[in-house]
Amino acid sequence: MKWGMVIDLAKCMRCHGCVAACRIEHFLPFSIAWVKLIAYEVEDKNVVDVTTYAVRCNQCKEAPCIDVCPTEATHRRDDGIVDINSDLCIGCRYCVIACPYQNRTFLSKDKLVNYFPNHAKTRFEKMREKKYPHQIGTTEKCNFCAERIDEGLPKGLKPGQDRAATPACVNTCQARALTFGDLDDPNSEVSKLIVERKATQLHADYGTDPSVYYVDGKIGGKSNIAPEDARTGSHIKEFSSVEKRAKEIFSQSK
Amino acid sequence: MGEQKVITTTCKSCHGGCGVRVTVEDDAIVHIEGNPDTLTRGTMCSKGLSSIQHIDNPYRLKYPIKQVGKKGEGKWERISWDEALDTIEEKIKTAQKEFGPESLAVSQGTGRGYNRYIHRFARSAGTANVISPGYVCHSPRLGLYGLVTGYGRLYCDYHGWGGEFPKTQIMWAKQLEISSADSEMCNWFIQSLDYCKNLIIIDPRATAYSTRASLWLQPRPGSDCALAMGMMNVIFNEELWDKEFVDDWTFGFDELKERCAPFTPEKTEEITWVPKEKIIEAARMFAIDTPGCIQVGSSLERQANCGHTLRAITNLMGLCGNIEAPGSMVSWVLPDTGLIEDFFLELPITDEMRSKIIGIDKYKMGAARTCNPDTMVKAILSGDAPIKVWLSVGGQQIVHMANTNEVVAAIEKVDFMVHVDLFMGPMAEAADIVLPAAHWLELNDVYDMHPRFMIEAHNKVIDPPGEAQSDAWIFNEIGKRIAPEHWFDSEEEMLDYQVRKGMDGKMKWKDFSERLVSGCWGDDQVYYKYKTDYWRKGGGFPTPTGKFEFYSKHLESLGYDPLPVFREPGESPYRTPELYKEYPLVTSSGCRYPFYFLAQYRNIPWLRSFMEYPITQINPVDAEKYGIEDGDWIWIESPRGRIRQRARVYPGMKEGVIMTTGNWFYPEEPAKGYHGVYISNPNVLTSNNHLDPMYGSPDLTCFLTKVYKCKPEELTEDVFNTDEFGFVSAAGSDVEIRKR
Ligand code: SF4
Ligand code: SF4
Ligand code: SF4
């Protein structure tokens, strides 16, 4: 099992939902963001290219951040996730420099300011200590929501398919631009997307072999015939017990 | 671990509608995410998620307060709810007695879902002088759809319930993908793109999808009516219209054809600045690849020709038969709970009330149920308006109305004003009493989806801070004091009343709250209603002629042109060429940003971090011409004044046009100056002199300005020098801009 993500550049509409979902999921201090959006806006030969690259740690298969870490705080898990053991992290910041994607942040004391700097902590911030403490003086980055995966797998949940075991950003994306799954499984959604839509990696030339892939394409050119489940609305009802009940109410009253 | 509970509710951080699941532990919200068991499939945007910073936001209003200094001075004193309500009652009753019921004005913003409460309250108090932002957002389209088809609520069929998705989609001055749910949910639209053949984007600037769309048209703001007529001209000339629909179900075809005849592709290119090839291609796509739909943006309604623009666009839909077919524009069957607006519609506006509506003599479409806000401003200034008491909820008229200077002067003249809100802001500072409102996570209410095929429940997750109360409670309390016969013993009773039609008349709020949604979808929805007895026995549209009316006799009887007419904006390169020489940039007062909702959320740190200061998008060619570089602070000036925003040199912006960021005030700025409303808000620049003849809408998205660089010593206000909110130091960490 090797977890990976595919990001559809033709769908992402720069809404920042993933950034916010990640901040909530990990109780992030105000000035920390594990997901960032890079706005690419260029005109070339009269064609205006407006693209948003949502970037997070690529969970590189050849990760320079692991190589430089003197304490093995940064390490690779069996499932490919590059994780940080903050108890081992000595704050040397070699990894911050080594990551060619600038995906690591050093949590210095001044970054742990309150959401409202001249005011008391909000209840949510107070809960951080209990639910997801951040250690000043260590380095942080996206961990593919490893906690969700670790909690979900023993329950038989499938990351990428079952929400409880899927990264928060993937769940919240209104555009469904993010797909998560097992790169080792040729039948997983991610593997299929990578092959069928000729995925690329950010700066493949760095030789880091990222586990985050990007696909692109045009909008349109599709058939407009609705599949049967869309017609009956069963594609809604399937995952929605609430709607089933609502429909019952509606049909009762007819 | 403390006790954990998961509560499901509905988001209302924009127009709302996303299903939400909140985890509460030891009285603190520890998690928010989308609820997968809803039509939004568990997705949420940054606004809704950042609600976590609404709760416990130290700037929240917690108690009723009264102004003890002069308006706009920011001197406040805490009072009890009793004192607040007693004072409001006394002021309203005195004004009613001395000056008549029309001396009470009630205003709203677009947010929290208080529509039906404010309308019911106004009507129960005998006034129809309601000030609503509807005339610049959504009302014109509903009114015009209503005129043409007889039924006001036409929505894009993104659902496939009828077997087909829209084959051709037009996003017209609209970014539905980021403005959810201003009309419909972005999630539905984006999913429907998986079944779309052509996506046409009509927008003067590149949007998230324009690079990858089938076609992108960049019209000059304010020329959209001409563009629609030009597209119809192509359809007439190439005989591409839907013959069957037009022959059997429409009225006024020949007249419309004649009206569109002058709008040849060449002529239309001249007016709209869109190359004629693109106009022809768009027309062909929309007419040939049916079914199709058009998503209209409120930018079109912020123009003084909006009535005719929307009429032309609606006619374009009908001409191509894109009405009521699966995958086209459909008016949905209501859920069993019925129309939630009945809550105020059941109290009719009497003839007496109607005769006192400010602006009704002129703006017969827009000022029929609400007053014309701009006319009201002028009337207050000239001393002709009857308004003595103004009850304002949520909305920031000072920010969103044209000509800020005049709006502030008028509002300061009102004898007694009450404002209800979550935070202090320009309107609150102008009030005499401010009442603290609850956030959607802190209240129970019925949420009414724009397309009206479903309603959802806002379920209370945690207690509001201090003594803040829901809008429903506040209106019920004031209502009980002014017109007790129309109000309720308790908030819950009022909620019961609103959902009473559900479950065969047995539904109570509690049932609905638990069910979360009541809707009609899938194979329960009905298409082609005009071919059935649904609207009319024997079939037809609910219009006077029973047809889809290209030509409107009703408009004619009101003294308007029965067919669409293109008129230049009040200030434009062609209407005011002299002015254009001095102010050479066609300017819009703003577009949507996904992390703000109109004037809201500059005080939510996570959201403010995405855009700390307002930006003005300008094409690189224009930027060079005016000596402006990316990131510069610039002055934007019109005959009415000047504001400062940050330049964003953007190749996606049409040359000769700039897009400012709208609705901008600085919550961190002091009360004096109404929280910096004059620093960056584009309505300092807009004019309220030239209004749409039908709706009274001003030219907010098409006027003329000039731009020039700002000197560093001109950035003196606090906002440029303080990090009170921590924004200055921490912001900018999330969006990086890469240019080649
Ligand atoms: S949530 Fe989805 S659409 Fe929004 S910015 Fe992130 S990837 Fe893009
Ligand atoms: S993106 Fe950077 S931090 Fe993440 S694995 Fe690669 S090198 Fe390490
Ligand atoms: S789109 Fe609107 S309703 Fe949905 S999460 Fe965002 S703010 Fe809430």
Side-chain angles (χ1 to χ4, degrees):
Chain A
M1 233 156 20
K2 291 279 176 290
W3 303 118
M5 186 182 287
V6 180
I7 301 177
D8 191 341
L9 299 174
K11 286 203 164 141
C12 173
M13 74 307 193
R14 203 182 287 179
C15 78
H16 297 68
C18 47
V19 184
C22 176
R23 283 170 161 175
I24 289 177
E25 181 70 22
H26 303 105
F27 292 77
L28 293 187
F30 176 41
S31 44
I32 304 265
W34 289 359
V35 191
K36 293 183 189 182
L37 303 183
I38 296 182
Y40 183 79
E41 297 165 349
V42 170
E43 182 168 0
D44 193 20
K45 299 189 189 75
N46 283 326
V47 178
V48 177
D49 182 356
V50 173
T51 303
T52 307
Y53 292 88
V55 296
R56 51 177 69 56
C57 169
N58 289 305
Q59 321 294 344
C60 302
K61 296 174 207 95
E62 299 293 335
C65 57
I66 297 182
D67 299 343
V68 299
C69 181
T71 66
E72 294 180 5
T74 293
H75 60 282
R76 182 186 317 286
R77 305 182 356 154
D78 290 343
D79 58 6
I81 294 177
V82 177
D83 205 2
I84 303 168
N85 180 344
S86 36
D87 289 338
L88 292 182
C89 176
I90 51 167
C92 68
R93 284 171 265 184
Y94 289 175
C95 58
V96 176
I97 297 161
C99 171
Y101 304 97
Q102 291 142 41
N103 274 332
R104 288 178 164 248
T105 323
F106 179 71
L107 183 63
S108 52
K109 205 168 169 208
D110 58 310
K111 286 221 167 83
L112 207 64
V113 289
N114 290 356
Y115 288 162
F116 300 93
N118 302 324
H119 297 268
K121 280 193 166 63
T122 61
R123 278 175 285 181
F124 182 72
E125 287 169 285
K126 286 187 196 140
M127 291 304 264
R128 177 195 292 141
E129 298 311 316
K130 186 168 155 192
K131 311 283 291 182
Y132 206 99
H134 290 250
Q135 271 181 44
I136 292 178
T138 66
T139 298
E140 306 199 337
K141 65 166 192 67
C142 156
N143 63 353
F144 266 3
C145 285
E147 311 84 18
R148 290 174 89 99
I149 297 175
D150 294 345
E151 243 179 68
L153 279 179
K155 293 184 194 153
L157 300 180
K158 264 192 112 172
Q161 286 176 26
D162 296 303
R163 284 175 67 90
T166 301
C169 54
V170 177
N171 288 339
T172 213
C173 177
Q174 294 178 306
R176 286 277 180 263
L178 309 176
T179 310
F180 190 77
D182 184 5
L183 298 172
D184 280 349
D185 173 4
N187 292 317
S188 69
E189 226 23 62
V190 279
S191 300
K192 283 195 278 187
L193 276 172
I194 290 169
V195 176
E196 283 162 20
R197 296 190 49 196
K198 302 193 183 63
T200 52
Q201 294 157 311
L202 275 189
H203 275 292
D205 52 314
Y206 292 163
T208 53
D209 197 2
S211 303
V212 175
Y213 295 80
Y214 292 83
V215 295
D216 203 350
K218 291 291 274 184
I219 297 171
K222 315 252 170 51
S223 154
N224 76 317
I225 301 304
E228 186 57 29
D229 60 347
R231 284 175 209 225
T232 56
S234 70
H235 69 306
I236 304 162
K237 292 160 200 161
E238 217 169 78
F239 53 71
S240 171
S241 54
V242 177
E243 279 148 16
K244 257 182 247 161
R245 269 184 281 151
K247 187 176 152 106
E248 276 159 28
I249 303 163
F250 183 71
S251 47
Q252 274 165 24
S253 67
K254 261 205 300 203
Chain B
M1 221 209 292
E3 200 201 327
Q4 256 201 10
K5 48 183 181 175
V6 175
I7 300 171
T8 47
T9 183
T10 306
C11 179
K12 187 80 193 174
S13 284
C14 67
H15 242 293
C18 290
V20 186
R21 200 177 256 180
V22 190
T23 312
V24 181
E25 191 175 311
D26 297 339
D27 288 329
I29 293 181
V30 291
H31 192 69
I32 298 184
E33 66 173 60
N35 178 0
D37 294 337
T38 62
L39 231 61
T40 43
R41 306 164 199 232
T43 66
M44 275 181 83
C45 80
S46 55
K47 299 181 286 295
L49 291 169
S50 298
S51 290
I52 236 159
Q53 294 188 329
H54 257 93
I55 308 310
D56 294 357
N57 188 313
Y59 299 96
R60 280 286 295 277
L61 288 164
K62 299 184 186 69
Y63 308 99
I65 47 175
K66 72 173 178 200
Q67 179 99 250
V68 291
K70 285 211 301 281
K71 284 188 188 209
E73 219 175 47
K75 294 205 179 114
W76 297 92
E77 203 175 275
R78 179 177 164 183
I79 54 173
S80 67
W81 269 105
D82 281 340
E83 182 184 339
L85 293 171
D86 288 347
T87 314
I88 294 167
E89 177 183 357
E90 188 235 295
K91 293 281 183 189
I92 292 179
K93 284 186 172 161
T94 310
Q96 284 177 325
K97 208 157 97 211
E98 283 178 27
F99 305 100
E102 69 275 15
S103 63
L104 169 65
V106 188
S107 73
Q108 65 164 108
T110 203
R112 301 193 304 268
Y114 31 50
N115 269 45
R116 53 189 187 284
Y117 299 119
I118 77 129
H119 280 279
R120 186 180 175 96
F121 173 72
R123 289 169 184 210
S124 73
T127 178
N129 278 324
V130 169
I131 302 151
S132 141
Y135 77 130
V136 286
C137 180
H138 224 80
S139 284
R141 87 188 74 161
L142 297 185
L144 270 308
Y145 292 163
L147 258 189
V148 179
T149 68
Y151 183 79
R153 293 196 172 268
L154 278 183
Y155 288 96
C156 300
D157 177 12
Y158 294 134
H159 310 281
W161 298 327
E164 282 183 81
F165 284 95
K167 197 184 261 185
T168 301
Q169 293 205 29
I170 299 185
M171 276 286 132
W172 201 316
K174 173 84 172 178
Q175 271 195 281
L176 183 56
E177 66 274 15
I178 59 160
S179 48
S180 180
D182 178 15
S183 290
E184 300 174 63
M185 305 307 293
C186 72
N187 183 263
W188 307 338
F189 157 61
I190 300 169
Q191 301 278 322
S192 78
L193 292 180
D194 288 343
Y195 302 92
C196 166
K197 185 171 172 199
N198 315 302
L199 173 65
I200 304 173
I201 291 182
I202 303 182
D203 203 307
R205 51 176 209 125
T207 62
Y209 290 162
S210 53
T211 300
R212 293 165 182 82
S214 320
L215 198 58
W216 170 34
L217 277 59
Q218 280 184 287
R220 167 173 66 96
S223 69
D224 304 80
C225 181
L227 181 58
M229 292 172 82
M231 285 171 69
M232 287 194 276
N233 176 290
V234 174
I235 292 167
F236 285 124
N237 280 335
E238 302 188 4
E239 301 200 11
L240 299 176
W241 68 87
D242 182 326
K243 313 259 167 5
E244 203 188 303
F245 181 76
V246 166
D247 287 351
D248 296 349
W249 303 104
T250 65
F251 175 78
F253 175 82
D254 293 330
E255 290 88 342
L256 180 68
K257 186 173 175 187
E258 200 190 311
R259 182 57 64 89
C260 293
F263 291 84
T264 58
E266 293 72 22
K267 178 80 190 156
T268 311
E269 168 170 345
E270 215 181 289
I271 300 173
T272 62
W273 303 355
V274 178
K276 62 174 190 282
E277 297 73 26
K278 289 202 174 184
I279 300 168
I280 296 171
E281 205 182 338
R284 286 180 186 157
M285 266 184 192
F286 189 66
I288 296 171
D289 278 337
T290 57
C293 62
I294 303 179
Q295 185 66 245
V296 170
S298 56
S299 291
L300 299 181
E301 291 157 328
R302 292 178 190 150
Q303 299 177 352
N305 194 39
C306 71
H308 282 300
T309 302
L310 285 154
R311 213 171 134 56
I313 291 174
T314 316
N315 283 348
L316 173 62
M317 297 167 184
L319 197 58
C320 302
N322 280 323
I323 298 288
E324 284 288 319
S328 72
M329 306 297 298
V330 182
S331 55
W332 300 113
V333 177
L334 301 171
D336 64 341
T337 34
L339 195 62
I340 295 298
E341 279 114 313
D342 278 348
F343 188 65
F344 72 86
L345 292 173
E346 67 184 21
L347 300 187
I349 296 179
T350 61
D351 290 346
E352 169 68 14
M353 279 153 75
R354 181 165 289 114
S355 68
K356 301 284 167 50
I357 295 179
I358 298 172
I360 187 153
D361 47 329
K362 257 181 124 173
Y363 308 106
K364 299 197 181 89
M365 299 284 294
R369 298 208 305 207
T370 56
C371 79
N372 177 255
D374 301 272
T375 307
M376 189 209 60
V377 162
K378 298 268 186 204
I380 293 178
L381 288 176
S382 65
D384 297 335
I387 308 302
K388 300 291 171 202
V389 176
W390 181 332
L391 178 51
S392 154
V393 192
Q396 298 291 353
Q397 273 70 23
I398 291 180
V399 181
H400 84 73
M401 284 181 62
N403 197 338
T404 312
N405 285 301
E406 284 192 8
V407 178
V408 168
I411 286 178
E412 285 181 345
K413 273 188 85 176
V414 175
D415 288 354
F416 180 74
M417 188 162 122
V418 182
H419 185 72
V420 185
D421 220 328
L422 278 78
F423 298 98
M424 290 309 281
M427 287 298 276
E429 298 294 355
D432 298 280
I433 286 185
V434 179
L435 304 176
H439 183 263
W440 56 264
L441 283 163
E442 302 160 352
L443 52 76
N444 290 320
D445 211 341
V446 182
Y447 165 71
D448 206 359
M449 168 66 66
H450 257 143
R452 298 295 189 262
F453 63 76
M454 68 170 175
I455 60 170
E456 294 167 283
H458 295 296
N459 286 325
K460 182 168 168 175
V461 175
I462 50 161
D463 287 328
E467 294 175 0
Q469 292 282 3
S470 69
D471 301 301
W473 183 90
I474 294 171
F475 272 96
N476 194 37
E477 289 308 309
I478 303 177
K480 276 196 285 193
R481 287 160 180 262
I482 303 299
E485 65 281 18
H486 296 302
W487 294 88
F488 300 80
D489 285 343
S490 69
E491 201 182 336
E492 176 151 353
E493 197 184 292
M494 182 160 71
L495 294 172
D496 284 343
Y497 183 74
Q498 294 183 60
V499 296
R500 69 191 182 283
K501 291 181 197 145
M503 292 165 71
D504 286 329
K506 290 195 286 286
M507 196 190 269
K508 293 277 183 215
W509 161 255
K510 276 207 163 67
D511 307 305
F512 177 61
S513 149
E514 188 203 318
R515 277 165 178 80
L516 212 55
V517 58
S518 169
C520 178
W521 42 62
D523 26 26
D524 288 333
Q525 275 295 347
V526 184
Y527 292 84
Y528 296 116
K529 294 175 205 66
Y530 61 86
K531 292 185 184 171
T532 70
D533 292 341
Y534 188 84
W535 282 315
R536 240 172 204 267
K537 207 141 188 60
F541 288 93
T543 53
T545 57
K547 298 280 174 74
F548 179 100
E549 297 188 348
F550 291 132
Y551 183 103
S552 169
K553 289 207 162 139
H554 181 67
L555 272 190
E556 201 169 29
S557 74
L558 293 176
Y560 296 112
D561 199 309
L563 291 163
V565 201
F566 167 66
R567 284 197 196 92
E568 281 287 335
E571 293 172 0
S572 88
Y574 305 113
R575 183 193 278 254
T576 52
E578 282 307 310
L579 198 71
Y580 183 55
K581 277 188 206 143
E582 197 188 336
Y583 300 98
L585 289 165
V586 178
T587 305
S588 168
S589 70
C591 54
R592 284 287 160 91
Y593 285 97
F595 33 78
Y596 292 135
F597 189 54
L598 306 165
Q600 297 185 79
Y601 309 146
R602 273 66 168 188
N603 49 8
I604 304 299
W606 277 348
L607 297 176
R608 186 73 180 273
S609 78
F610 297 137
M611 187 203 267
E612 188 185 354
Y613 294 112
I615 55 164
T616 291
Q617 293 169 322
I618 181 166
N619 185 282
V621 174
D622 292 322
E624 208 188 321
K625 190 153 46 170
Y626 304 112
I628 289 164
E629 278 174 46
D630 194 62
D632 282 351
W633 278 96
I634 54 171
W635 286 106
I636 304 146
E637 186 175 325
S638 86
R640 270 125 345 242
R642 59 176 194 167
I643 57 164
R644 279 153 294 171
Q645 297 205 348
R646 244 182 163 151
R648 172 91 167 260
V649 180
Y650 181 47
M653 196 64 232
K654 189 173 182 70
E655 233 181 284
V657 180
I658 58 169
M659 177 70 71
T660 63
T661 300
N663 294 309
W664 199 288
F665 69 95
Y666 296 90
E668 66 270 36
E669 273 283 308
K672 226 177 165 107
Y674 294 100
H675 295 284
V677 80
Y678 300 102
I679 300 174
S680 298
N681 188 31
N683 277 326
V684 169
L685 313 175
T686 52
S687 157
N688 52 2
N689 287 332
H690 177 78
L691 308 179
D692 179 70
M694 293 183 215
Y695 276 89
S697 323
D699 281 322
L700 302 182
T701 54
C702 47
F703 53 99
L704 299 177
T705 63
K706 61 179 168 193
V707 298
Y708 47 96
K709 235 173 121 153
C710 181
K711 300 190 192 84
E713 64 270 23
E714 290 172 326
L715 301 174
T716 51
E717 288 86 346
D718 285 3
V719 66
F720 302 107
N721 306 304
T722 171
D723 61 353
E724 166 65 10
F725 283 67
F727 299 140
V728 178
S729 51
S733 57
D734 300 308
V735 182
E736 235 176 278
I737 300 160
R738 298 257 165 108
K739 289 178 196 304
R740 213 174 265 160

